[in-house]
Amino acid sequence: MTALPPFAARFQDVEVTFPRSWTAGANGTAYRVPGSTALDGVTCDVPAGQITGLLGRNGAGKSTMLGLLAAFRRPTGGTVLTGPDGDLRDPWEDAALTSAILLVQESGDVFHDQKVAATLAYYADLRPEWDAGYAEELLDLFEVPLRTKPSALSRGKKSALAATLGLAARAPLTIFDEVYLGMDTPTRFAFYDALLADYAEHPRTIVLSSHLVEETERLFEHVVLVDRGRVVFAEPAEELRSRASSLTGPTAVVEDLAAGHEVLHRQHLGPTTRITVNGALSDDDARAAAAAGATIGHEGLESLFVHLTRTSREAPATRVPDTDRAPARKEELR
Amino acid sequence: MSAVATALDERRTAVQRRAVRAVDGQIAAVLRTVGFWYWPVIALAAVVIALVQQRLGALDGSTVQYVVGSARWFAFSLGVIVPMAVMRPHLAAGGTRRALVRGVARGAVRAGVVFGLAVAVLYAAEQVAWRLLDLDWYRTLGPDRTTGVGGFLVNTVGEGLVALTYFLLGAAVAGGFARFGPWLGLVLCLGFGFPAVVADVALYTGPATALAAQILGMSGPLPMLAGLFTVLAAAAVTYIALGLILRDLPVKRPSS
């Protein structure tokens, strides 16, 4: 079968609303879940052949976006397209695309009561790019026994199994939705290393949804930040890494220097103040800061993520005009 | 057509075919596993009932007829459990809902063949045992009294079609609850049950057969064929309902 190039994806004004529904509680009783909006006018691109980080707070709509890409659900409005660059199509019920897109969620989508080998065989059957040898190598690396049932594995081992499925499938669009949950630190780093090594050897498009921004940001080439069902930004990671700056020094000085900039965060410690501003500071600003005894620093992606999502919640009227809409709910409640 | 478009077309056909086969394979694996203990237990139950009736002096024809009725509910339970359990891994592995429905239909046919043959073999074995014990074999349930090869065929096809219908019914009910919630799901469940009841009644009390014989004036094997055709129609209706329910069923995020 002819190999497919890495996939790109596009969200065009995508809306997902969940109707009022019933769900089962922990004690087995059914209760009513009110309707809500998970995605509201999402428009962004996922570039082909890059690692895209999808960031957002709990309930921001990340999993819903990823579910749309994998054709797990349909949008209420708008269009989701994916496929080889220049030939984007609706993935819904298109076996050519669904077999080239893999969404890996925590604990994986596996046959819990059959041996791990049964799940691997099923994936191998439906995934033309599946590499069985590599899958066994990864299971060895993560110490997941082939002859055990997933239901008998610990949470961390289940996540490792999910990561194995994602890597060994070598899908042109591979999506990891918080797959690291439950993994211990050495396993997480082993996963990141394996991901980078295999990505270099077999280029494809990877989307990584994560809360551990500091730990994963080195992997990202492109970043999409969503908050309350809307895209805050979708930009190359390199630009974002230098986007937020901090000014630290005497309060009056840094307040003066920060004037005219969008302030993301303000922190006071006695007479000293640290202000985080959106955007790089100019050479003139740097000279003025140095002369006034203030220091300028670059904020990382994590800081930008924290401040931008906090700002959007503290001042919803400026960033999210539609304040009346119901807060997005985790899809697992549907 | 570009090379990529050609590659996508090739891939679509190949993956769809493999996905249908994979779902069918999962159902076959479950049938093997549970059938390994279910059918021996059913056979044992028939023997125990016969022994008890014999001891009480109440042995009255076939005892297999009392226990094989559970097979349809067993098929229904498998229909409820297996397709919905397969759905998430199937879609994540790259299959489509259409392939799932076709795979479930193939699996249901497989279940029908296995169940039909198993029931026919049990009846045949019972007839042989009765003959060896110099007893008269007859059934008190159902219109069909045929034995020998004819009886074997009628049992296989009839029971097989009913098991197939119940398997599909189970899958449709599970899908209905998953898609529409408890209340509408319950209403649909009752609606979906109608074709299965028709299938059951057509086979056992034989209104379709009677209708064909008495009102339409059919004779020979035609009334029985009319009954079997009714069961087949019921299976087809249930299959269509299953396809309509599953064709856009969203997949929920697994709870961690």
Side-chain angles (χ1 to χ4, degrees), chain A residues 44 59 83 198 309 319:
Chain A
C44 67
D198 200 56
T309 53
R319 286 192 177 274

Side-chain angles (χ1 to χ4, degrees), chain A residues 35-92:
Chain A
S36 64
T37 302
L39 297 179
D40 188 8
V42 165
T43 299
C44 67
D45 284 337
V46 175
Q50 294 190 17
I51 300 181
T52 295
L54 180 61
L55 309 178
R57 292 173 67 171
N58 291 331
K62 302 186 297 295
S63 297
T64 307
M65 281 178 78
L66 300 180
L68 292 171
L69 282 181
F72 274 18
R73 62 164 58 248
R74 282 180 128 160
T76 314
T79 318
V80 178
L81 301 171
T82 185
D85 224 354
D87 191 8
L88 301 185
R89 303 158 184 225
D90 182 354
W92 183 259

Side-chain angles (χ1 to χ4, degrees), chain A residues 262-286:
Chain A
E262 184 189 349
V263 174
L264 296 176
H265 185 57
R266 201 176 254 110
Q267 191 178 17
H268 299 289
L269 188 66
T272 304
T273 295
R274 178 189 166 95
I275 294 180
T276 306
V277 296
N278 192 5
L281 295 169
S282 67
D283 291 344
D284 289 345
D285 288 333

Side-chain angles (χ1 to χ4, degrees), chain A residues 94 105 109 114 129 334, chain B residues 11-12 26 88 92 252:
Chain A
D94 186 341
Q105 295 179 315
D109 290 308
Q114 296 178 42
E129 291 87 7
R334 300 282 117 201
Chain B
R11 190 183 176 103
R12 187 172 296 113
Q26 278 295 314
R88 264 202 83 93
K252 297 171 186 177

Side-chain angles (χ1 to χ4, degrees), chain A residues 12-327:
Chain A
Q12 287 175 333
D13 200 21
V14 172
E15 188 184 314
V16 172
T17 53
F18 294 128
R20 209 163 58 128
S21 63
W22 289 88
T23 193
N27 59 358
T29 54
Y31 64 91
R32 199 105 209 193
V33 181
S36 64
T37 302
L39 297 179
D40 188 8
V42 165
T43 299
C44 67
D45 284 337
V46 175
Q50 294 190 17
I51 300 181
T52 295
L54 180 61
L55 309 178
R57 292 173 67 171
N58 291 331
K62 302 186 297 295
S63 297
T64 307
M65 281 178 78
L66 300 180
L68 292 171
L69 282 181
F72 274 18
R73 62 164 58 248
R74 282 180 128 160
T76 314
T79 318
V80 178
L81 301 171
T82 185
D85 224 354
D87 191 8
L88 301 185
R89 303 158 184 225
D90 182 354
W92 183 259
E93 286 295 274
D94 186 341
L97 297 183
T98 54
S99 64
I101 303 167
L102 176 56
L103 169 58
V104 186
Q105 295 179 315
E106 190 212 353
S107 303
D109 290 308
V110 297
F111 297 111
H112 291 281
D113 296 318
Q114 296 178 42
K115 288 174 184 165
V116 167
T119 298
L120 263 53
Y122 201 93
Y123 275 71
D125 221 10
L126 270 69
R127 295 265 167 201
E129 291 87 7
W130 180 264
D131 186 334
Y134 184 48
E136 285 190 26
E137 239 176 74
L138 288 168
L139 290 177
D140 272 351
L141 174 73
F142 297 135
E143 296 171 348
V144 177
L146 260 174
R147 294 185 169 278
T148 307
K149 292 176 180 176
S151 56
L153 295 174
S154 68
R155 191 180 177 198
K157 295 289 180 204
K158 283 178 187 166
S159 296
L161 172 59
T164 300
L165 294 173
L167 291 172
R170 296 217 170 107
L173 174 54
T174 306
I175 307 163
F176 293 100
D177 185 9
E178 295 176 27
V179 75
Y180 56 79
L181 292 174
M183 285 184 192
D184 56 27
T185 310
T187 310
R188 280 205 309 276
F189 279 85
F191 164 60
Y192 301 144
D193 291 346
L195 174 74
L196 279 180
D198 200 56
Y199 170 68
E201 209 173 316
H202 301 275
R204 53 197 192 262
T205 307
I206 292 173
V207 179
L208 202 60
S209 152
S210 178
H211 286 125
L212 303 178
V213 183
E214 195 174 6
E215 198 171 285
T216 50
E217 71 167 292
R218 70 186 170 100
L219 306 172
F220 302 152
E221 296 168 277
H222 190 84
V223 176
V224 176
L225 175 65
V226 288
D227 193 39
R228 304 176 115 204
R230 291 183 173 200
V231 173
V232 178
F233 59 69
E235 293 175 27
E238 208 45 54
E239 286 175 26
L240 289 168
R241 286 192 182 102
S242 56
R243 190 162 140 177
S245 310
S246 65
L247 290 158
T248 311
T251 303
V253 172
V254 294
E255 288 289 357
D256 206 32
L257 288 166
H261 293 280
E262 184 189 349
V263 174
L264 296 176
H265 185 57
R266 201 176 254 110
Q267 191 178 17
H268 299 289
L269 188 66
T272 304
T273 295
R274 178 189 166 95
I275 294 180
T276 306
V277 296
N278 192 5
L281 295 169
S282 67
D283 291 344
D284 289 345
D285 288 333
R287 274 192 292 275
T295 55
I296 291 180
H298 285 298
E299 295 285 305
L301 203 53
E302 184 171 59
S303 172
L304 194 64
F305 164 59
V306 170
H307 295 319
L308 282 178
T309 53
R310 184 163 53 196
T311 309
S312 81
R313 280 160 204 247
E314 283 169 357
T318 55
R319 286 192 177 274
V320 185
D322 185 8
T323 50
D324 291 337
R325 69 195 174 89

Side-chain angles (χ1 to χ4, degrees), chain B:
Chain B
M1 196 183 276
S2 71
V4 168
T6 311
L8 285 172
D9 283 347
E10 274 175 24
R11 190 183 176 103
R12 187 172 296 113
T13 314
V15 169
Q16 190 76 0
R17 202 171 40 235
R18 280 193 236 159
V20 172
R21 212 172 43 217
V23 174
D24 180 29
Q26 278 295 314
I27 294 171
V30 174
L31 286 174
R32 265 197 307 274
T33 310
V34 298
F36 184 75
W37 58 264
Y38 175 75
W39 291 108
V41 166
I42 286 293
L44 186 66
V47 171
V48 169
I49 291 171
L51 289 174
V52 170
Q53 286 187 343
Q54 173 74 21
R55 194 164 180 95
L56 298 174
L59 185 59
D60 185 26
S62 170
T63 56
V64 167
Q65 65 178 340
Y66 302 122
V67 290
V68 292
S70 68
R72 65 206 55 218
W73 295 109
F74 195 59
F76 174 79
S77 308
L78 289 177
V80 168
I81 296 164
V82 181
M84 293 310 283
V86 170
M87 185 171 180
R88 264 202 83 93
H90 170 79
L91 294 179
T96 59
R97 289 161 183 78
R98 200 165 40 244
L100 177 72
V101 172
R102 287 181 190 166
V104 167
R106 262 204 214 181
V109 170
R110 186 186 290 277
V113 171
V114 170
F115 279 53
L117 276 173
V119 170
V121 165
L122 282 175
Y123 275 128
E126 190 182 46
Q127 287 164 26
V128 171
W130 259 231
R131 203 174 305 130
L132 289 174
L133 295 169
D134 214 17
L135 294 167
D136 280 342
W137 184 91
Y138 54 90
R139 265 193 337 202
T140 52
L141 297 174
D144 178 47
R145 303 283 185 272
T146 47
T147 55
V149 176
F152 189 87
L153 282 176
V154 167
N155 283 328
T156 304
V157 177
E159 289 289 346
L161 283 173
V162 172
L164 180 158
T165 310
Y166 271 74
F167 188 96
L168 291 174
L169 170 68
V173 165
F177 274 101
R179 182 167 166 186
F180 298 108
W183 297 115
L184 191 53
L186 184 65
V187 172
L188 284 172
C189 171
L190 295 173
F192 293 149
F194 184 70
V197 171
V198 167
D200 214 341
V201 167
L203 185 78
Y204 266 87
T205 52
T209 312
L211 184 80
Q214 288 163 22
I215 298 187
L216 300 176
M218 291 178 179
S219 58
L222 286 179
M224 182 56 74
L225 287 176
L228 292 178
F229 179 77
T230 308
V231 185
L232 196 60
V237 169
T238 312
Y239 173 68
I240 292 167
L242 175 67
L244 290 174
I245 285 174
L246 292 189
R247 70 179 179 180
D248 55 1
L249 184 68
V251 176
K252 297 171 186 177
R253 194 173 195 272
S255 47
S256 47

